[in-house]
Amino acid sequence: MIKEIKLPDLGEGIDGAEISEIPISVGDVVTSDQTILILESDKASMEIPSDFSGKITDILISLGDEVSTGQTLMKIEVAADKKNKKNINEDVKEKNNKNVIQEPVVNKQPTKIDLKIDNDGVFASPGVRRLSRELGINLNTVNGTGEKGRITKDDLNNYILKQMSNASGSSIPTPIPDIDYTQWGDIENQKLTKVKRITGRRLQSAWQTIPHVTQFDEADITDLDVFRKELKERSKKSKIKITFLPFLIKAITKTLKEMPEFNSSMDSSSSNLIIKKYYNIGLAVDTPSGLIVPVIMNADQKSILDISAELMDLSVRAREKKLKPSELKGGTFTISSLGGIGGKFFTPIINPPEVSILGVSKSVWKNVYNPTSGSSDLRYIMPFSLSYDHRIIDGAAAARFTTRYKEILHDISFFKD
Ligand code: CAO
């Protein structure tokens, strides 16, 4: 049975609001009370829950739309079973009221919901809160200069500029000049996708506030290549694509366990390191709308086949914009692989609040001198880079990390266990 989800009464005298996030997609199965929409009004940021459990069949609104109370937002296919309590109650109520079986479905009055307003004691508009979330800034650390200590966008900008000059001693960045390029020829204006705008802000903030250093290294993956091909052959029937990435993920979890500061985050006072005892690996996925980083949770506890299957599923859904917000959170370390494309070494930007990131490039066959045999052998060599936050990680530790990482990749017994 198809039901309509309508915008409930938002209360507090708010008649309408702008859609800032739609965390679900058509085809997603949602539970009653799961957040299906995030709105920003001039008064508050609100999460709108689903009225029913079921499968979303239609989304009738888009990002940036202004919606008002009672407006139909989505359609959902619900099953009339015991789990869908709200649905059953509503059916019973409808039958009792109308006493006619074929009565057309009358849309129920929107229910009033409680506003979910951040309760951190900070006085800031939803726009400022959203921006601070995107940039990973804790508003408690920002000075509010507005009325009654309200934090304004200017306060946020000043905070970022202060962090930048603290971190690098550099001067304020020059704004992009407004130039009329048509004076030299034809141009085309291309609007940046929302993903690109958000990622761009995050990357800029990370690049300007974290003192990055990048360590380059090369791993001999000749034996791993043979082993991967064997596994690929054995798993042919399962249609699971086994690339190098699952091995790289598994090996990084081992290295992180041995060198925990690489799996950490700085706390908000910048005086303590929070070492995480779980290994959730984020993977940069190239999608038509921009870079998306889904996370493989507890990768250390998963097999190569499990990681391969999950990687296929996450990258397909990332490209179809079907990832849930929870699948983009909780990462402890990120891998960005350009190994399937090409190029030699690059300097990946750290994904805050993480403190290091691995960049993988395409492997090449090289003649490598073997001092034991006194001859040169053809070996399959993978270039990789490790960018790290130099406030937390020393150069010596980073060199030890990449050395250990390539040892693990070279000795394939780890993958056979
Ligand atoms: N060396 C040699 N071959 C490699 C390799 C490497 N380091 N990495 C991947 N390959 C091979 C794979 O094994 C595969 O070959 P086979 O078909 O023979 O198995 C082929 O290249 C294609 O791999 P892939 O790219 O489809 O798969 P992946 O698991 O390596 O990567 C994903 C998956 C989602 C990470 C990738 O598709 C992607 O989006 N990469 C771009 C990430 C990105 O943009 N990073 C930059 C961020 S900074 O702007």
Side-chain angles (χ1 to χ4, degrees):
M1 184 193 319
I2 302 288
K3 294 268 176 192
E4 292 183 340
I5 302 177
K6 292 173 176 291
L7 184 68
D9 180 356
L10 301 174
E12 308 267 315
I14 305 172
D15 296 325
E18 190 190 311
I19 298 176
S20 65
E21 261 181 78
I22 308 174
I24 46 119
S25 314
V26 170
D28 281 1
V29 175
V30 299
T31 51
S32 162
D33 291 336
Q34 180 177 334
T35 299
I36 50 163
L37 210 59
I38 297 174
L39 303 179
E40 304 273 346
S41 78
D42 50 352
K43 293 188 181 171
S45 176
M46 294 156 271
E47 293 183 6
I48 307 299
S50 172
D51 282 344
F52 310 100
S53 298
K55 188 172 171 182
I56 300 291
T57 58
D58 225 342
I59 296 181
L60 306 167
I61 34 85
S62 317
L63 279 181
D65 282 1
E66 192 69 36
V67 285
S68 47
T69 307
Q71 182 173 338
T72 305
L73 306 169
M74 297 179 193
K75 291 188 180 168
I76 184 168
E77 189 180 349
V78 296
D81 57 20
K82 279 181 188 165
K83 283 180 203 143
N84 221 330
K85 212 169 107 200
K86 204 161 189 175
N87 184 21
I88 284 179
N89 289 345
E90 197 183 285
D91 285 350
V92 169
K93 214 159 112 194
E94 269 178 18
K95 276 181 195 160
N96 287 347
N97 285 348
K98 294 164 197 139
N99 212 13
V100 181
I101 294 170
Q102 289 303 322
E103 191 80 12
V105 176
V106 177
N107 296 325
K108 66 184 180 119
Q109 274 298 99
T111 44
K112 191 168 174 177
I113 59 154
D114 288 334
L115 294 187
K116 195 183 171 204
I117 303 173
D118 290 339
N119 190 18
D120 51 7
V122 171
F123 196 24
S125 73
V128 167
R129 284 187 183 280
R130 185 174 42 178
L131 195 58
S132 71
R133 277 199 301 274
E134 285 170 10
L135 297 174
I137 294 173
N138 176 358
L139 282 180
N140 280 302
T141 59
V142 181
N143 255 345
T145 59
E147 205 182 328
K148 296 183 193 158
R150 187 185 180 91
I151 298 173
T152 63
K153 276 198 177 155
D154 280 347
D155 293 333
L156 217 50
N157 284 335
N158 288 337
Y159 174 86
I160 294 166
L161 292 176
K162 204 169 147 203
Q163 292 285 310
M164 277 164 42
S165 54
N166 282 352
S168 61
S170 67
S171 56
I172 295 165
T174 332
I176 299 171
D178 189 10
I179 298 172
D180 175 15
Y181 293 99
T182 59
Q183 57 184 309
W184 297 295
D186 285 347
I187 60 162
E188 183 193 320
N189 264 321
Q190 218 174 63
K191 196 169 167 52
L192 287 180
T193 61
K194 189 166 183 197
V195 171
K196 280 213 160 151
R197 278 182 283 138
I198 293 175
T199 314
R201 284 206 288 259
R202 283 185 63 91
L203 288 172
Q204 180 170 15
S205 162
W207 184 247
Q208 291 177 318
T209 56
I210 301 172
H212 281 70
V213 178
T214 304
Q215 173 69 53
F216 302 104
D217 214 331
E218 292 181 326
D220 181 339
I221 57 162
T222 317
D223 297 347
L224 180 59
D225 185 41
V226 174
F227 181 58
R228 178 186 81 96
K229 282 183 181 140
E230 281 170 19
L231 202 60
K232 203 173 152 182
E233 196 52 41
R234 286 210 298 270
S235 327
K236 229 175 185 171
K237 277 194 189 140
S238 68
K239 297 215 167 105
I240 297 175
K241 188 175 152 193
I242 299 176
T243 62
F244 285 106
L245 207 42
F247 298 92
L248 303 183
I249 293 169
K250 207 65 191 156
I252 210 75
T253 61
K254 182 166 172 61
T255 322
L256 290 171
K257 279 185 181 177
E258 292 177 14
M259 304 183 72
E261 75 267 36
F262 289 82
N263 200 51
S264 72
S265 289
M266 189 105 89
D267 80 351
S268 59
S269 72
S270 298
S271 44
N272 296 298
L273 208 53
I274 299 164
I275 306 273
K276 294 157 209 168
K277 305 280 173 74
Y278 48 87
Y279 304 88
N280 299 341
I281 309 301
L283 297 152
V285 178
D286 179 34
T287 80
S289 15
L291 196 62
I292 298 193
V293 187
V295 176
I296 298 202
M297 309 295 272
N298 302 309
D300 59 317
Q301 293 164 32
K302 292 178 178 164
S303 69
I304 295 291
L305 277 183
D306 288 345
I307 296 176
S308 301
E310 199 171 331
L311 183 61
M312 271 172 73
D313 169 54
L314 287 173
S315 52
V316 167
R317 284 192 296 120
R319 287 174 181 136
E320 291 172 351
K321 297 189 183 170
K322 285 193 177 158
L323 289 176
K324 297 183 202 109
S326 60
E327 291 174 306
L328 300 166
K329 288 183 188 158
T332 59
F333 184 95
T334 297
I335 299 182
S336 173
S337 172
L338 295 175
I341 304 172
K344 275 187 191 173
F345 299 112
F346 62 104
T347 52
I349 299 180
I350 294 164
N351 185 16
E354 296 164 20
V355 296
S356 51
I357 180 169
L358 189 78
V360 178
S361 300
K362 193 174 177 65
S363 312
V364 285
W365 286 97
K366 269 189 185 180
N367 254 325
V368 179
Y369 178 69
N370 181 341
T372 318
S373 65
S375 62
S376 289
D377 302 329
L378 261 186
R379 309 294 297 177
Y380 201 36
I381 305 295
M382 186 189 81
F384 66 98
S385 332
L386 178 87
S387 293
Y388 57 93
D389 184 337
H390 207 355
R391 291 172 299 184
I392 293 163
I393 292 158
D394 295 333
R400 273 185 215 110
F401 188 92
T402 60
T403 303
R404 180 64 186 128
Y405 186 54
K406 66 185 195 180
E407 266 172 24
I408 296 168
L409 291 175
H410 184 58
D411 172 15
I412 55 164
S413 61
F414 165 64
F415 301 109
K416 290 184 168 172
D417 289 345

